[in-house]
Amino acid sequence: MLWALGLWLALFFAPLAAGRFTVYLLGVILVTGLLAMSLNLLVGHGGAYQFHHGAFYGVGAYTAALLITKTSLPAWVGLAAGPLAAAFAGLMIGSLCIRLNKLYFGMIQISLGSLLWILALRWYDLTNGDDGIHGIPLPEALSGSGSAFTFLLAVVGVCLLAMHRILESPFGTTLRAIRDNPQRCAAVGIHVRRHQLTAIVIATFFAGVAGVLFVVLEGSVFPDMLFWVLSLEIFIMCLLGGWFTFLGPMLGAAIIVLLRTVVGGFTEYWTLILGVVLILLIFFLPEGIMGAGHRLRLYRRRAAGPPSRGGDRAAG
Amino acid sequence: MESSFSLAAFLGQFLVGLSRAMILFIVASGLSFILGVLRVPNVAHGSLYMIGAFAAHAIATALGNHPAGFWAAMVGAPLIVGGISLAAERLLFRHLYEREHLMLLLFTFGLALILGDLTKMTWGADYRSIVPPPFLQGSLDVLGTALPRYNLFLLLVGPAVAVALWLVSAKTRFGKIARAAAVDREMVGAIGIHVSWVFAWAFVLGCMLAGLGGALVSPTISVTLGMDHTIIIEAFLIVTIGGLGNIWGALVGSLLFGVTQSLGVLVLPQFAIVFPYLAVVLILTFKPTGLLRSVW
Amino acid sequence: MLQVDGLCKAFGDFQAVNGAWLTVRQGDLVAVIGPNGAGKTTLFNLITGHLQADRGSIRFREQEISRLPAHEICRRGIARSFQIANIFPRLSVFENVQVAVLSAKGLSRHLLHPTRRLVREETEGILERVGLQDRRLDLAGSLSHGDKRILEIAIALGNEPELLILDEPTAGMSPEETAATLALIRRLAREQGLTILFCEHDMEVVFNVATSIMVMQHGSTLVQGPPLQVRADPAVQEAYLGRD
Amino acid sequence: MKSQGFISRGLVGVLAAAVVVAGITGGAEARNIKVGIVDTYSGPPAVFGNDALNGFKMAVEEINRQGILGGKIEFVTRDDKFKVDIGLNMAKELALKENVDVIVGVVNSGVALAISDAVAKKEKIPFFTWMGKSANITGKAGHRYVFSTTENTAMATKAAATVLARKPFLRIWVAGDDYEYGHALDDSFTHYLKQLRPEVEFLGRTWWKLGEPDLVPYFTSIQAAKPDLVHFCTGGASMANVLKTIQATGLHRNTAIYIHTAIDYAVLKPLGLNAPEGVMGTMDYLFYYPEMSSHQKFVKDFQARYKTPPGFPAYHAFLTAQFIAEGFRKAGKIDREAFIDALEGLKVDSPVGKVEMRACDHQAVLPIYFGTTRLSQEHQAAVAADILTLRGAEVMPTCEEVLGARK
């Protein structure tokens, strides 16, 4: 754990050591990664067909943007309200979704999320429609790019810590059990739907945090954030990094963002490359990069000898 | 506005909605067929629809926009799409049927990304357009509404496709096996049928319907990249409303979409954009697995 | 303890359970037997709330439970295993049992305590009782079929049930595994004072284990009573044993 | 330990990513003028992006033959995929890593507005949009660092309103794509027409979602209302759908129709001789009009290189390159602030005559052509006929109006 903490602290010095674009790109990675990790809470750990996670990202960002630009409330209030609004949307949409199974769950969620998307697209007077809202004024303390990054890194760190604790808690263990076998969970006395709904509210809260951080990073919001294509792209990040791992989606987001920036600069066929990567992954690394690494370690440990009694997982 | 509510306008609008439903049905039934038999949520279906439209344009242009070129395009485009889907099934899909649905969905999404860019590489980004044969151009006056002849033509094609699908699924050995496989894959394998090829042909059939839909729609719209995005979400919403994997559900869903949207334009135009999504939410809230029986 | 009366359940035209009755008293080890398709699994699914009965009553500790959802019935003290290995394949063996123990103690929804510090003794105890303690770190999905079935029983035990319902606990097992499993069931009944209801299609297997046997046929209860009495019952001999 | 292992390994990954980022960032100053192009090269709007790039390339080659301030113009392109977040990402890369002197491009108005605010204004980099047609870019949201070398919705609709106000159209119906561009056209056309002719009556409005495949249901409901004039607010790929549906339903035979960019060759060419005649449209560039020698040479050169006549994006990009070259020449040094000062009020040669960059709002003063579609055997497609030219000064909002809106 000290290791991780040290690395996280080291990143705080990035604005001093690296160029501004590097810092900006790290910011994009952190925000996208947080979004992907919040989705993975439901997909990789919860087994839910959360097809329109981007909608909650958008709700968080739009709430912050609208409160800041349309009301006289302090900007901090807007930033704090974003995740709460996203979690509320998660509760409302989630309670309609959890009654359904798998693909039906996914489709009703795409529909509900698309209704939010239409709202952002069509309520011109409020949202500027297609054009989006730009130049959102931020609190004084966040206006420098260095300080914005520090804020971002701090918030993402706290969120990751909280998500980690949640996943390691009985709630998280039970969530993974529901992913593996919801019927069996009901048979051991777990209220499966209520548990999933709680997970949705938690995950959408973190998606809202990511949305607010996007506002801090870019100073813009636009309806594309709530479009279903973005939601599918986040899925790919989770798959790439590893469904069943904790930090995998962050790694996946880093790879996709970097590839997009590097490759996107040289070719207009970026989607083709993404498609090929996706298909290769599904064929050869269905558990993603970190999942494969984990498998490899398990295999090595087995080869080295039988696990010692009272080994690491249970003993912590 | 009062004139828009006349009975004639209503009937005209109803016919227009029906013709719109026909294209939706042809595309959605293919998607639903694949969902039912193979249990694959095929996101690449929209790309195949787009390829169908581009291929139809290429064939028609190659034959110098002669009326015969139009008919050659209507037959040739689905065949080209069928060829692509057969290759995809034999080379890629068949190794993946045992995977979770989510993996299959992402896999087909990857395929959609690739096919989208390949379409662009092959045909470029320009807008294209196909001219229907002369007797399908212009419009007919039906009850005071000018209905394009081509839409009336679609009203004939749609039912023909529906009947053909019914014949294939109910009267042929292939159809019976495919329907049985939809219910119980192991059982079909157990009675000694080579399931692998049944699946392959079922997949090709479903994809050819996407190609046919793309070819049929090409004279009414401009053929461009990005067609795939619009249709795929609509097709998925339709099959969800109807009941995943049920071809007749796709018919019900398409009619519901086409007709209600078309009449909605007359009564509540600003409502038309939210209708499809709202319909899914309402129907799934009261019937959690769609209107007709679903195998999912 | 458990009283089932006039229970009916139809799937379309097929009457899977048709007027079944059953009595389980505290401390009993009741076996339900009957040929495949007699309605044993459906009966168990009805009792545990995985299916809703069309008619009839299920009373557990004098309270009607036939309309309750599965997780609620579980909380009242009925735990079950399933006919096909029904475990959490991506969790470790330890976690498989832990999930059930956490649920029984009402801890499933705790958000911030690390799971690894909770209910360790209880979980270890159960694993030792069923003999899976050496596999506790393996992924449950990697166990052998026999071990998976044992793990299922362990999960059910994790619920700290008063009544344990096991659906064909020995299905698909080798003769040795079957014997070991039956011995485990008997030991659990004796040492833990558990009331157990289980089903089997092979009558001979259960005669030495069960304290009471209920015979099902075509969805109905033919007879229930002590093994010797059931064996002597003419209707049973006619329907079940007579064929030999 | 397992989970800690994940965390630490994950962070190693993140840090490794940081190293990679560091590796690809960091650039060098060059004596050449470096232009960064952010535009759409994938999806349907790629038609515009590619055409613009062709025009820009052609202009740059010509400019580089003479050189500017002893150097040349070099450029890099970035694909924004018509998405705001990617556009921002790319513009920031160009600004912060590639250290470009000027950023140009952008089809999508949303992307243009985002870049204008988050990159141009914040990083003080001059930014030209050659395709973003929202009047807000140089209007309400304009500032020192943003320029437009394209006509915008306000100019086009004011031109159309000026012409149409003289005609006997009183009952008007509005229909179009339900997104910002469509609504901007409607708002502005309605505003100007009412101003010029207060007695006009707007019967109703029909909006369909962008990319709607079948427009017939919408058309039949419009026909039922029997308007004098239908204003279709559409563009790009859906423009072709609208024209096809007009032809199929015969709407143009009993109703007048106005559509901005309906006389665009890129839209009319695919329809061939099957395009509807008599549809009124506006454009700020037509490759066959006006017939002056500098223009004919431009079109001939362009056709020789790219096998297709230049569209309006190519013209805008060509014009933009002229502004960049002349701006730096006039400034006398590669300095952004001096460049901006030099641009204000600068007049450059374009194939169709001099074009001025208006000092007050940084909007290029472009003429608008108003024409009506007519089939041409020569082009094997419909082209604009009966062309009226409205000078830029007539159709642009006044400086006072613009500066008032910015407050």
Side-chain angles (χ1 to χ4, degrees):
Chain A
M1 211 63 183
L2 278 177
W3 245 91
L5 212 67
L7 281 164
W8 178 60
L9 287 174
L11 275 176
F12 277 102
F13 294 96
L16 301 177
R20 285 182 58 208
F21 184 66
T22 312
V23 173
Y24 165 73
L25 217 50
L26 278 173
V28 176
I29 290 171
L30 285 170
V31 172
T32 321
L34 179 62
L35 177 61
M37 286 181 67
S38 71
L39 171 66
N40 201 44
L41 211 64
L42 291 173
V43 178
H45 300 282
Y49 276 38
Q50 178 85 352
F51 277 3
H52 209 336
H53 202 56
F56 307 102
Y57 177 58
V59 166
Y62 264 95
T63 305
L66 291 173
L67 283 178
I68 293 173
T69 54
K70 303 274 168 179
T71 69
S72 53
L73 293 170
W76 289 108
V77 176
L79 297 183
L84 296 176
F88 180 71
L91 178 66
M92 294 285 112
I93 290 181
S95 26
L96 282 172
C97 294
I98 46 154
R99 302 171 47 245
L100 309 182
N101 289 324
K102 292 194 156 189
L103 215 47
Y104 287 105
F105 179 116
M107 289 314 294
I108 196 173
Q109 197 182 46
I110 285 198
S111 304
L112 288 160
S114 297
L115 288 173
L116 289 176
W117 169 65
I118 289 169
L119 206 64
L121 200 62
R122 292 204 20 158
W123 196 347
Y124 305 94
D125 299 335
L126 189 67
T127 63
N128 282 352
D130 235 37
D131 278 355
I133 303 169
H134 305 287
I136 299 161
L138 293 173
E140 199 72 20
L142 298 181
S143 44
S145 67
S147 54
F149 178 77
T150 307
F151 176 73
L152 224 104
L153 189 59
V155 173
V156 170
V158 170
C159 287
L160 257 56
L161 216 63
M163 280 158 104
H164 187 253
R165 284 224 82 158
I166 290 168
L167 284 174
E168 293 294 303
S169 72
F171 180 85
T173 310
T174 306
L175 190 63
R176 281 192 293 278
I178 291 174
R179 169 197 69 199
D180 279 7
N181 197 336
Q183 191 198 18
R184 190 70 177 99
C185 275
V188 298
I190 292 160
H191 195 320
V192 172
R193 299 211 191 287
R194 196 174 65 184
H195 209 88
Q196 279 178 322
L197 184 59
T198 313
I200 290 175
V201 171
I202 292 171
T204 51
F205 176 85
F206 287 116
V209 174
V212 166
L213 293 181
F214 184 85
V215 172
V216 171
L217 183 71
E218 305 275 22
S220 294
V221 294
F222 36 84
D224 261 6
M225 297 176 78
L226 294 96
F227 194 50
W228 60 274
V229 172
L230 175 78
S231 297
L232 271 185
E233 283 172 8
I234 325 169
F235 251 99
I236 299 180
M237 297 171 189
C238 296
L239 175 69
L240 177 62
W243 293 111
F244 306 118
T245 64
F246 178 64
L247 278 172
M250 179 67 84
L251 179 67
I255 293 173
I256 297 276
V257 169
L258 287 177
L259 268 182
R260 192 174 69 189
T261 312
V262 178
V263 179
F266 296 105
T267 173
E268 58 192 88
Y269 296 110
W270 152 247
T271 40
L272 179 79
I273 293 166
L274 187 64
V276 172
V277 168
L278 185 54
I279 283 180
L280 289 178
L281 266 178
I282 290 170
F283 265 94
F284 300 110
L285 278 183
E287 292 188 12
I289 295 171
M290 290 185 77
H294 179 218
R295 276 274 147 115
L296 198 68
R297 282 201 306 284
L298 271 184
Y299 176 77
R300 285 224 186 105
R301 204 161 56 189
R302 287 252 171 75
S308 57
R309 273 196 69 158
D312 53 9
R313 182 66 189 228
Chain B
M1 282 296 279
E2 61 280 14
S3 60
S4 359
F5 285 95
S6 74
L7 186 65
F10 229 86
L11 279 172
Q13 201 74 350
F14 181 74
L15 280 178
V16 168
L18 275 186
S19 76
R20 176 185 156 73
M22 292 304 114
I23 297 262
L24 292 175
F25 164 65
I26 290 168
V27 178
S29 62
L31 182 67
S32 203
F33 189 65
I34 295 174
L35 268 167
V37 179
L38 291 88
R39 301 292 168 90
V40 174
N42 184 15
V43 182
H45 206 68
S47 315
L48 295 166
Y49 161 88
M50 176 168 76
I51 291 175
F54 270 93
H57 176 265
I59 294 171
T61 319
L63 296 175
N65 278 327
H66 187 272
F70 173 80
W71 300 110
M74 293 305 121
V75 178
L79 288 176
I80 290 175
V81 170
I84 294 171
S85 56
L86 183 64
E89 204 279 342
R90 287 289 93 183
L91 293 174
L92 302 170
F93 265 108
R94 69 189 176 114
H95 304 292
L96 296 173
Y97 288 135
E98 299 306 316
R99 298 283 185 87
E100 311 93 288
H101 298 136
L102 211 51
M103 279 292 182
L104 288 169
L105 186 132
L106 284 173
F107 176 78
T108 57
F109 181 58
L111 207 60
L113 294 176
I114 294 175
L115 289 176
D117 261 4
L118 286 181
T119 309
K120 185 184 163 198
M121 281 182 184
T122 316
W123 284 296
D126 293 342
Y127 305 148
R128 283 143 207 281
S129 168
I130 292 188
V131 182
F135 79 96
L136 291 178
Q137 291 177 18
S139 56
L140 272 185
D141 192 70
V142 179
L143 302 163
T145 312
L147 278 184
R149 289 162 196 259
Y150 194 79
N151 286 61
L152 297 173
F153 165 67
L154 289 178
L155 281 179
L156 298 178
V157 176
V161 170
V163 169
L165 262 178
W166 174 73
L167 285 176
V168 167
S169 77
K171 300 287 169 192
T172 66
R173 186 177 136 80
F174 164 75
K176 284 174 188 160
I177 297 170
R179 277 189 303 150
V183 181
D184 188 345
R185 192 174 296 184
E186 282 75 30
M187 187 204 57
V188 175
I191 56 174
I193 293 161
H194 202 336
V195 191
S196 172
W197 276 99
V198 172
F199 280 7
W201 291 120
F203 184 72
V204 170
L205 177 66
C207 292
M208 281 175 72
L209 286 168
L212 179 64
L216 282 170
V217 86
S218 62
T220 66
I221 64 165
S222 84
V223 177
T224 68
L225 301 170
M227 281 169 73
D228 48 348
H229 274 193
T230 352
I231 193 80
I232 191 61
I233 192 80
E234 202 151 8
F236 261 104
L237 294 176
I238 286 171
V239 299
T240 310
I241 285 184
L244 294 171
N246 187 322
I247 314 179
W248 308 116
L251 182 60
V252 172
S254 309
L255 290 173
L256 201 67
F257 261 46
V259 174
T260 327
Q261 215 170 355
S262 161
L263 293 179
V265 167
L266 207 60
V267 187
L268 284 169
Q270 62 278 41
F271 196 64
I273 185 171
V274 294
F275 171 74
Y277 302 111
L278 215 56
V280 170
V281 173
L282 289 178
I283 287 173
L284 289 192
T285 303
F286 295 105
K287 292 213 76 173
T289 56
L291 290 172
L292 300 190
R293 206 168 58 84
S294 164
V295 297
W296 273 64
Chain C
M1 187 179 210
L2 180 75
Q3 184 65 46
V4 176
D5 279 306
L7 205 60
C8 294
K9 175 71 185 177
F11 299 107
D13 295 335
F14 175 60
Q15 197 68 40
V17 171
N18 192 5
W21 58 269
L22 174 70
T23 308
V24 180
R25 282 170 320 225
Q26 180 92 39
D28 266 357
L29 209 171
V30 181
V32 175
I33 60 168
N36 279 329
K40 304 186 296 286
T41 297
T42 310
L43 173 67
F44 282 11
N45 282 338
L46 290 169
I47 295 173
T48 56
H50 287 84
L51 290 173
Q52 291 286 323
D54 300 332
R55 258 176 301 136
S57 87
I58 307 167
R59 295 175 70 79
F60 180 63
R61 296 209 170 285
E62 311 306 320
Q63 284 182 318
E64 185 63 40
I65 59 167
S66 60
R67 295 278 157 235
L68 296 177
H71 60 89
E72 191 55 45
I73 291 174
C74 174
R75 283 195 195 145
R76 303 210 171 183
I78 301 180
R80 71 171 294 185
S81 79
F82 291 78
Q83 194 173 44
I84 41 163
N86 211 336
I87 52 167
F88 308 115
R90 289 192 152 276
L91 301 189
S92 71
V93 169
F94 185 86
E95 286 172 318
N96 264 267
V97 178
Q98 201 182 16
V99 164
V101 178
L102 287 168
S103 169
K105 299 211 177 291
L107 294 172
S108 294
R109 289 163 64 77
H110 270 244
L111 276 170
L112 296 172
H113 294 291
T115 311
R116 58 174 187 273
R117 298 216 191 101
L118 294 170
V119 299
R120 283 194 56 194
E121 273 100 63
E122 293 89 331
T123 310
E124 295 276 348
I126 291 168
L127 286 176
E128 260 163 50
R129 244 177 284 155
V130 301
L132 282 174
Q133 65 272 34
D134 290 338
R135 311 295 306 268
R136 65 155 85 75
L137 295 177
D138 293 353
L139 282 188
S142 69
L143 294 180
S144 69
H145 176 74
D147 281 349
K148 280 182 188 163
R149 304 303 314 266
I150 300 287
L151 177 57
E152 266 225 77
I153 297 176
I155 295 173
L157 288 175
N159 267 115
E160 300 168 2
E162 295 169 39
L163 173 63
L164 181 62
I165 299 183
L166 306 172
D167 192 357
E168 294 210 24
T170 64
M173 284 188 173
S174 66
E176 297 81 48
E177 285 175 328
T178 304
T181 306
L182 288 172
L184 171 67
I185 291 172
R186 190 143 52 163
R187 204 172 67 235
L188 288 173
R190 211 168 43 226
E191 291 172 10
Q192 313 291 318
L194 268 174
T195 310
I196 297 178
L197 172 65
F198 72 112
C199 74
E200 262 299 335
H201 60 267
D202 187 348
M203 197 169 185
E204 291 308 316
V205 169
V206 301
F207 260 94
N208 299 323
V209 180
T211 58
S212 169
I213 292 179
M214 184 269 241
V215 183
M216 261 186 110
Q217 192 185 28
H218 306 311
S220 313
T221 300
L222 219 51
V223 62
Q224 183 187 5
L228 290 174
Q229 182 193 327
V230 168
R231 199 197 280 271
D233 191 285
V236 175
Q237 295 210 330
E238 163 87 16
Y240 205 80
L241 303 169
R243 264 174 287 151
D244 308 333
Chain D
M1 200 180 97
K2 179 181 152 205
S3 48
Q4 287 170 18
F6 277 9
I7 290 200
S8 54
R9 277 180 183 80
L11 275 180
V12 169
V14 172
L15 211 72
V19 173
V20 176
V21 178
I24 61 158
T25 51
E29 190 77 37
R31 285 187 64 250
N32 288 344
I33 293 163
K34 201 164 178 186
V35 178
I37 305 176
V38 180
D39 217 336
T40 307
Y41 300 110
S42 41
V47 190
F48 301 120
N50 291 333
D51 190 43
L53 187 59
N54 286 344
F56 191 76
K57 273 187 196 159
M58 192 165 111
V60 164
E61 267 178 45
E62 222 171 272
I63 292 163
N64 283 350
R65 245 175 268 139
Q66 305 167 27
I68 309 170
L69 308 175
K72 292 180 177 213
I73 291 182
E74 56 177 89
F75 62 87
V76 285
T77 59
R78 296 289 184 265
D79 185 1
D80 67 13
K81 308 187 202 317
F82 211 66
K83 286 184 185 165
V84 185
D85 53 339
I86 300 183
L88 269 175
N89 208 320
M90 294 300 163
K92 287 199 178 167
E93 192 230 358
L94 293 173
L96 302 177
K97 188 193 123 201
E98 296 285 335
N99 291 314
V100 295
D101 301 296
V102 184
I103 296 175
V104 300
V106 184
V107 180
N108 183 332
S109 289
V111 179
L113 287 163
I115 292 179
S116 165
D117 181 83
V119 184
K121 194 168 168 186
K122 211 169 263 171
E123 304 296 331
K124 303 196 188 312
I125 292 183
F127 165 58
F128 288 78
T129 177
W130 59 35
M131 274 294 295
K133 294 187 183 281
S134 166
N136 288 339
I137 298 172
T138 54
K140 209 159 59 182
H143 53 83
R144 177 170 167 82
Y145 298 93
V146 67
F147 295 84
S148 167
T149 46
T150 174
E151 100 292 359
N152 58 41
T153 48
M155 291 163 69
T157 51
K158 191 171 175 188
T162 309
V163 177
L164 293 172
R166 293 182 217 132
K167 301 200 171 180
F169 304 136
L170 290 175
R171 294 158 50 81
I172 295 164
W173 192 282
V174 180
D177 298 339
D178 196 357
Y179 78 129
E180 190 57 29
Y181 178 64
H183 287 275
L185 285 172
D186 172 32
D187 291 347
S188 145
F189 180 74
T190 305
H191 168 78
Y192 288 120
L193 194 64
K194 275 201 167 148
Q195 207 172 54
L196 294 166
R197 198 163 184 192
E199 67 271 32
V200 291
E201 182 193 354
F202 285 84
L203 301 178
R205 285 180 165 73
T206 308
W207 299 104
W208 51 77
K209 67 173 189 289
L210 195 55
E212 177 69 59
D214 190 351
L215 299 177
V216 175
Y218 302 91
F219 274 59
T220 41
S221 74
I222 294 170
Q223 276 175 320
K226 299 189 172 41
D228 301 330
L229 173 75
V230 183
H231 174 208
F232 285 105
C233 308
T234 181
S238 44
M239 165 76 77
N241 292 0
V242 170
L243 290 174
K244 278 187 153 186
T245 314
I246 290 173
Q247 176 77 356
T249 56
L251 182 70
H252 57 304
R253 271 183 239 115
N254 35 36
T255 311
I257 294 169
Y258 162 68
I259 319 175
H260 177 44
T261 72
I263 52 176
D264 180 13
Y265 185 69
V267 168
L268 292 170
K269 187 182 65 175
L271 299 175
L273 295 174
N274 208 33
E277 284 194 291
V279 174
M280 296 176 283
T282 39
M283 250 345 253
D284 69 334
Y285 179 73
L286 298 165
F287 74 89
Y288 44 82
Y289 185 88
E291 296 175 23
M292 46 205 283
S293 62
S294 61
H295 189 200
Q296 280 160 346
K297 180 180 173 301
F298 169 71
V299 173
K300 218 178 97 196
D301 289 352
F302 192 94
Q303 252 173 327
R305 293 171 66 120
Y306 306 115
K307 313 283 173 256
T308 164
F312 65 103
Y315 170 71
H316 292 157
F318 189 90
L319 182 65
T320 307
Q322 306 303 329
F323 273 117
I324 293 171
E326 292 307 317
F328 278 111
R329 280 187 189 126
K330 187 174 157 198
K333 55 183 171 183
I334 305 182
D335 176 89
R336 291 168 184 172
E337 300 299 328
F339 172 65
I340 290 170
D341 291 336
L343 278 172
E344 295 189 338
L346 182 70
K347 282 187 182 171
V348 299
D349 283 316
S350 91
V352 294
K354 293 251 182 219
V355 176
E356 182 190 344
M357 180 58 70
R358 193 157 77 170
C360 66
D361 61 351
H362 295 183
Q363 170 66 46
V365 183
L366 294 160
I368 302 285
Y369 307 112
F370 184 100
T372 308
T373 57
R374 186 174 301 159
L375 296 181
S376 148
Q377 292 300 326
E378 179 201 342
H379 291 102
Q380 281 295 301
V383 295
D386 310 326
I387 298 171
L388 296 169
T389 305
L390 294 105
R391 286 182 304 107
E394 286 178 69
V395 297
M396 281 164 71
T398 63
C399 281
E400 291 76 49
E401 278 170 358
V402 171
L403 297 179
R406 285 191 191 177
K407 281 168 199 149

